[in-house]
Amino acid sequence: EPEVTQTPSHQVTQMGQEVILRCVPISNHLYFYWYRQILGQKVEFLVSFYNNEISEKSEIFDDQFSVERPDGSNFTLKIRSTKLEDSAMYFCASSGIQGNNQPQHFGDGTRLSIL
Amino acid sequence: GNSVTQMEGPVTLSEEAFLTINCTYTATGYPSLFWYVQYPGEGLQLLLKATKADDKGSNKGFEATYRKETTSFHLEKGSVQMSDSAVYFCALKAQGGSEKLVFGKGTKLTVNP
């Protein structure tokens, strides 16, 4: 069964540095998402991406964050000038077509630790 | 805004015990409802879903029924196994254009022999 793959599985970064989290969505999917889960808290929506542009974003997704689909396969989340509170598990997801009947398929996540 | 409330964990059961994990939601209209499962060291996997009132989602012996009158989507399994040990997340997707999933906090289940 096709999978969403994320790299790296664990990223350790100094506060203030930039980090790029990478995702390869399922190949025929059209919608892409990033979520995060701070330890002990809920999984929170960050952003959705369709047709090479952001379709929806949460209030968490401020100017510090950006997303990109640099080629036909990768989907990246960039966090500029990281802060301690950015430490979390970041999940990428993808889905086929819009609508309530299409589930989102998740990757295994990247654990981001800011020191 | 939309929200999902799950019963607090952790839940510890013996093999073959009956499982219920409660989930209630707040949303306008008819959201779609999901249960995701996260096994240790892995990502979120869709377990089951229901997209309209009175629908029953089922998979791997788990079931959940979309109850509009009580705004609930409780997860049940008649006889759990050790391999069911995981964290279970209830989630909704609002009716209309938004594609984002709104998750509950998750309930950790441990099944002992």
Side-chain angles (χ1 to χ4, degrees):
Chain A
E1 186 174 329
E3 293 182 340
V4 175
T5 56
Q6 291 186 241
T7 55
S9 56
H10 190 190
Q11 174 80 45
V12 181
T13 302
Q14 292 289 327
M15 186 172 59
Q17 297 297 305
E18 176 182 286
V19 65
I20 297 176
L21 309 183
R22 303 182 189 279
C23 170
V24 179
I26 294 173
S27 62
N28 61 347
H29 281 183
L30 302 175
Y31 289 82
F32 315 112
Y33 313 86
W34 284 101
Y35 293 81
R36 79 173 184 190
Q37 184 182 28
I38 295 172
L39 187 64
Q41 299 186 24
K42 294 185 178 186
V43 176
E44 302 171 292
F45 169 80
L46 293 178
V47 65
S48 60
F49 191 87
Y50 170 71
N51 199 25
N52 284 320
E53 60 183 26
I54 291 173
S55 52
E56 187 176 0
K57 62 182 181 179
S58 72
E59 57 191 27
I60 302 169
F61 194 88
D62 59 20
D63 292 344
Q64 184 193 9
F65 295 88
S66 62
V67 289
E68 191 177 32
R69 189 157 162 80
D71 52 43
S73 59
N74 290 285
F75 179 53
T76 62
L77 173 69
K78 181 188 290 186
I79 309 175
R80 287 179 284 275
S81 188
T82 49
K83 301 178 286 223
L84 294 176
E85 54 265 37
D86 295 327
S87 295
M89 181 73 88
Y90 288 80
F91 293 104
C92 174
S94 68
S95 63
I97 60 174
Q98 195 170 26
N100 284 340
N101 291 324
Q102 297 303 316
Q104 294 177 21
H105 297 261
F106 284 77
D108 287 348
T110 293
R111 180 170 299 282
L112 177 63
S113 299
I114 307 299
L115 304 180
Chain B
N2 299 331
S3 65
V4 174
T5 303
Q6 287 181 238
M7 65 185 285
E8 292 285 329
V11 174
T12 302
L13 296 173
S14 299
E15 274 196 312
E16 300 183 7
F18 184 86
L19 169 72
T20 300
I21 301 178
N22 289 339
C23 171
T24 57
Y25 68 88
T26 300
T28 55
Y30 291 84
S32 289
L33 302 173
F34 306 85
W35 277 100
Y36 280 82
V37 58
Q38 186 178 32
Y39 298 104
E42 299 184 16
L44 299 166
Q45 299 176 25
L46 178 68
L47 181 59
L48 54 83
K49 66 177 183 179
T51 57
K52 58 183 187 293
D54 300 324
D55 265 2
K56 179 186 284 188
S58 61
N59 186 24
K60 300 180 181 179
F62 291 88
E63 293 183 340
T65 300
Y66 188 143
R67 301 286 188 202
K68 177 67 173 172
E69 63 275 16
T70 54
T71 62
S72 65
F73 193 55
H74 305 319
L75 183 68
E76 296 181 337
K77 186 174 186 181
S79 177
V80 293
Q81 305 300 313
M82 288 179 61
S83 58
D84 294 326
S85 296
V87 181
Y88 293 81
F89 294 90
C90 185
L92 71 80
K93 187 159 63 174
Q95 185 179 22
S98 175
E99 287 296 303
K100 71 178 183 184
L101 291 172
V102 176
F103 284 89
K105 285 195 74 171
T107 302
K108 183 176 182 180
L109 170 67
T110 301
V111 181
N112 293 320

